[in-house]
Amino acid sequence: MVESSVKQRYAVIGAGWAGCAAAMELARAGHSVSVFEAARTLGGRARRVERENTVLDNGQHILLGAYTETLRLIKLAGQDPAELILTLPLQMRYPPGTKGMDFIAPRLPAPLHLAWALLRAKGLLRADKLALMRFSTAMRWMGWQLYNDCTVSELLQRFDQTDRLNRLMWHPLCLAALNTPPERASARVFLNVLRDSLGASRRRASDMLIPKANLSALLPEAAARYLAQHGGAVRMGAKVAALRTLPDGRWQLDDGESFDGVIVATSSVQAASLLQGLHDPRLDDAIGRMQAFTPEAISTCYLQYDASVRLDLPFYALVDAPQQQHWGQFVFDRGQLDSNQAGLLAVVISASGPAAEQGHAPLAQAIAAQLAQVLQRPELAQPVWTQLITEKRATFACTPDLARPGNASGVPGLLLAGDYTANADDRTQDYPATIESAVRSGVAAARVVTTGKMAKQT
């Protein structure tokens, strides 16, 4: 971004990943930026928490090599992704003996890496592999685009994907990417993710990136330092309760400072509440779209064992079978990411509403029993301690043809940023509610507020 010849003052409300991205882009353009964050920890719904005298995350995340904007900003903030992130080739590997699959892509040029992975995959029958090949070929021919949206389940049925392939690959990928069950999830958005990872021309785009640093340290805290170096500031514990426009067209936060523009980078629920206070009919459409979202939860269960406990891989996929009280979908060995967390396992449950209804203690006990059974390690049934963290509004339900607001609110100088926004230029670029979509939205909002034009997402 070329620095602006006119330095202006901007306010960013919310220091989650969208807010941090917006603030960094504004500062990089030469503007004065103040970020207002109600909490005492940076990162929003992807942040550091402290439990049992241990630094954890409020959710275990996997990033993708396709998350180009996130990686760009991590570098811009002075961070080295190689030190903070464990990079693994694309894989879907289940514990041996669980009737799962073992699929791992070699470091070959795309798309040869996927062809070789499929050829060597264990646990898939010939019919499964042929079905996957047909699906991949058809999607490439279609440009990974679906103009008439449907559910992921309907798409998979349309292309004759096998039950085994759905259970071991497509369904867990859909849950992990969209945090929405396949029978309700948008096929168009799912294909957007697959296009930028499995269908990308760069092999690295399909890499799986697991943060070794806590989520707040990965970018938000570095973004705050970047702002300070560029004359801006992040104000913690600073909740903005109201906005109002001034006669000169500037914006005032509560009854305090005034700014040339404002980017609201809170959750959609908080943003809708803040915008309602303006009583401006131009905001009705954006508010209505935000209020129509259905929340989806994500739960992460941390289980601490003796420091000698270690998995054979950094993470495994797990077959979730709620009827058997097997709720876990992925298990991560945190000790392989951070030596200070030896013996700590993290189990992720996406779209976790039904699981969370079990209650914290029963759910943690069920997960420990699941690990002991599927990993064939009885000692895992008795962790030293467990900590269950459930984000009840982790994402919105990413359903077909969901009407999402864009960055432009409808009122000049007031922008929206968050993982819930849509790409106003091209619906085929819409992402689910992920860290990358939050970052992309923040970058786009910053460019709109400074140039008045929507930047094309890539």
Side-chain angles (χ1 to χ4, degrees):
M1 183 185 296
V2 179
E3 288 198 4
S4 172
S5 59
V6 179
K7 185 174 184 178
Q8 295 184 305
R9 298 189 71 224
Y10 291 104
V12 176
I13 303 174
W17 288 66
C20 289
M24 287 182 67
E25 284 296 295
L26 290 171
R28 191 164 75 97
H31 299 293
S32 175
V33 188
S34 294
V35 179
F36 297 82
E37 171 54 52
R40 295 291 180 180
T41 304
L42 303 177
R45 283 167 289 130
R47 68 186 184 280
R48 178 187 71 250
V49 297
E50 292 189 19
R51 298 287 191 276
E52 301 288 346
N53 298 316
T54 303
V55 176
L56 307 172
D57 288 319
N58 69 321
Q60 176 66 55
H61 284 65
I62 294 182
L63 312 181
L64 294 175
Y67 287 7
T68 53
E69 284 296 271
T70 300
L71 294 171
R72 178 180 69 84
L73 287 188
I74 290 174
K75 293 176 183 178
L76 179 64
Q79 305 268 74
D80 182 359
E83 293 183 358
L84 302 174
I85 297 172
L86 174 64
T87 300
L88 299 172
L90 174 68
Q91 56 193 272
M92 185 66 75
R93 311 186 74 178
Y94 290 81
T98 59
K99 297 182 180 180
M101 62 183 285
D102 192 27
F103 178 99
I104 179 169
R107 298 191 181 279
L108 295 173
L112 293 178
H113 68 311
L114 294 180
W116 186 255
L118 183 58
L119 180 66
R120 298 295 298 273
K122 299 177 182 178
L124 294 180
L125 302 178
R126 182 173 182 272
D128 305 320
K129 295 181 179 182
L130 289 175
L132 180 53
M133 289 176 61
R134 287 196 305 270
F135 182 83
S136 178
T137 300
M139 292 306 107
R140 288 179 185 276
W141 181 79
M142 295 167 54
W144 300 91
Q145 295 183 9
L146 194 67
Y147 294 102
N148 296 315
D149 206 357
C150 63
T151 68
V152 170
S153 291
E154 289 169 338
L155 178 70
L156 298 174
Q157 184 178 14
R158 185 183 307 171
F159 286 90
D160 298 319
Q161 298 301 280
T162 65
D163 290 342
R164 184 190 304 270
L165 199 56
N166 288 338
R167 178 170 55 88
L168 298 179
M169 186 167 186
W170 295 130
H171 287 196
L173 284 179
C174 178
L175 281 171
L178 276 65
N179 194 38
T180 307
E183 60 270 18
R184 294 192 286 111
S186 166
R188 175 191 290 138
V189 176
F190 186 51
L191 287 181
N192 290 345
V193 177
L194 295 182
R195 175 201 61 215
D196 291 350
S197 53
L198 297 182
S201 59
R202 296 185 309 113
R203 180 203 54 77
R204 291 185 179 181
S206 66
D207 281 347
M208 307 179 88
L209 315 181
I210 309 177
K212 293 189 286 187
N214 69 73
L215 292 174
S216 294
L218 189 58
L219 177 66
E221 292 173 352
R225 294 192 295 269
Y226 180 90
L227 287 183
Q229 294 165 2
H230 289 76
V234 176
R235 307 181 190 184
M236 307 296 295
K239 182 178 180 180
V240 176
L243 293 173
R244 71 186 185 97
T245 55
L246 300 175
D248 62 359
R250 304 183 81 217
W251 290 85
Q252 188 176 51
L253 276 59
D254 296 326
D255 293 322
E257 300 173 80
S258 58
F259 297 88
D260 295 295
V262 175
I263 295 178
V264 178
T266 63
S267 70
S268 60
V269 173
Q270 295 167 321
S273 177
L274 199 56
L275 267 57
Q276 279 182 308
L278 288 166
H279 304 290
D280 190 324
R282 292 175 292 180
L283 297 170
D284 288 348
D285 181 67
I287 293 171
R289 294 184 181 208
M290 288 187 282
Q291 291 178 331
F293 289 150
T294 300
E296 288 281 1
I298 297 178
S299 297
T300 302
C301 184
Y302 292 95
L303 305 97
Q304 181 66 62
Y305 299 95
D306 183 84
S308 62
V309 171
R310 181 182 176 93
L311 302 185
D312 292 335
L313 299 176
F315 80 98
Y316 280 109
L318 303 173
V319 177
D320 61 328
Q323 67 278 9
Q324 301 176 28
Q325 294 294 298
H326 285 193
W327 300 99
Q329 297 155 359
F330 290 92
V331 57
F332 296 80
D333 185 347
R334 294 292 310 174
Q336 297 190 43
L337 305 171
D338 180 353
S339 60
N340 293 320
Q341 295 186 347
L344 181 64
L345 304 183
V347 176
V348 178
I349 310 171
S350 297
S352 65
E357 291 176 358
Q358 308 302 307
H360 286 198
L363 180 55
Q365 183 178 5
I367 290 173
Q370 178 186 3
L371 294 179
Q373 179 180 339
V374 300
L375 294 171
Q376 302 177 42
R377 297 177 63 169
E379 72 273 17
L380 298 185
Q382 300 294 329
V384 177
W385 56 258
T386 63
Q387 180 66 52
L388 184 70
I389 300 175
T390 296
E391 280 286 326
K392 294 183 179 180
R393 293 181 174 271
T395 71
F396 56 87
C398 192
T399 53
D401 288 317
L402 183 66
R404 297 157 62 173
N407 292 112
S409 68
V411 178
L414 179 62
L415 277 296
L416 303 174
D419 58 14
Y420 61 87
T421 61
N423 186 323
D425 279 355
D426 187 355
R427 285 291 304 276
T428 66
Q429 298 294 325
D430 284 346
Y431 255 38
T434 59
I435 282 178
E436 176 71 3
S437 61
V439 169
R440 289 188 184 192
S441 178
V443 170
R447 292 175 179 171
V448 172
V449 81
T450 56
T451 68
K453 297 179 181 180
M454 175 66 71
K456 195 78 170 181
Q457 300 284 354
T458 57

